């Protein structure tokens, strides 16, 4: 397994490639699954960086990856790490300001986070 810094660089590279060359996901279909797989990485920092990258990509509203990224983010709302859960809540809520219908399902799930046992997640969900 690569070290954490290498995996973080990989997340950055994949997200930049997808953001700057959206057609790359069609020509190299392994790119998006490679990025999504980092949402379940053992490292909290890698998962957090991937959440930020995924939300950034969703803002582009590319139909090639929207449903895949939304489903993957929904799973991270229940991440075992408080920091990742809070980041998902904040990031999705910030992005939803510009496009609430896109994030409707995630916003409903975030509503349940007001009952999270960790104060930072509860506060982020309010």
């Amino acid at each position: 397994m690569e070290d954490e810094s290498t995996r973080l660089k990989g997340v950055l590279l994949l997200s930049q490639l997808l953001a700057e060359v959206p057609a790359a996901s069609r020509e190299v279909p392994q790119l998006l699954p490679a990025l999504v797989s980092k949402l379940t990485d053992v490292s909290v920092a890698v998962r957090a960086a991937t959440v930020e990258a995924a939300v950034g990509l969703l803002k582009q509203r590319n139909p090639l990856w929207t449903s895949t990224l939304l489903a993957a983010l929904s799973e991270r709302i229940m991440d075992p790490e408080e920091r990742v859960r809070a980041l998902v809540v904040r990031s999705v809520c910030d992005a939803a300001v510009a496009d609430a219908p896109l994030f409707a399902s995630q916003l409903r799930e975030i509503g349940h986070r007001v009952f999270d046992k960790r104060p930072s997640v509860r506060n982020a969900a309010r």
Side-chain angles (χ1 to χ4, degrees), residues 55-66 69-70 98-103:
V55 171
L57 289 171
L58 282 168
K59 289 178 183 178
Q60 293 186 2
R61 295 206 58 145
N62 187 320
L64 294 174
W65 59 59
T66 299
L69 291 175
L70 286 172
D99 194 358
L102 178 65
F103 296 97

Side-chain angles (χ1 to χ4, degrees), residues 21-122:
V21 188
S25 65
R26 193 173 324 143
E27 296 187 24
V28 185
Q30 300 88 345
L31 291 177
L32 187 61
L35 180 65
V36 169
S37 73
K38 296 303 175 194
L39 284 167
T40 57
D41 194 274
V42 67
S43 165
V44 172
V46 172
R47 291 196 315 268
T50 308
V51 165
E52 291 173 346
V55 171
L57 289 171
L58 282 168
K59 289 178 183 178
Q60 293 186 2
R61 295 206 58 145
N62 187 320
L64 294 174
W65 59 59
T66 299
S67 62
T68 302
L69 291 175
L70 286 172
L73 279 176
S74 290
E75 293 176 14
R76 291 301 91 204
I77 291 172
M78 297 299 292
D79 193 277
E81 177 59 42
E82 162 187 6
R83 180 176 147 210
V84 176
R85 287 193 313 272
L87 178 63
V88 171
V89 168
R90 282 192 305 275
S91 298
V92 168
C93 288
D94 290 347
V97 169
D99 194 358
L102 178 65
F103 296 97
S105 175
Q106 287 70 30
L107 290 172
R108 278 190 293 280
E109 292 175 37
I110 285 170
H112 299 294
R113 294 294 90 212
V114 297
F115 301 112
D116 198 282
K117 68 179 183 176
R118 299 292 183 190
S120 66
V121 180
R122 282 195 311 265

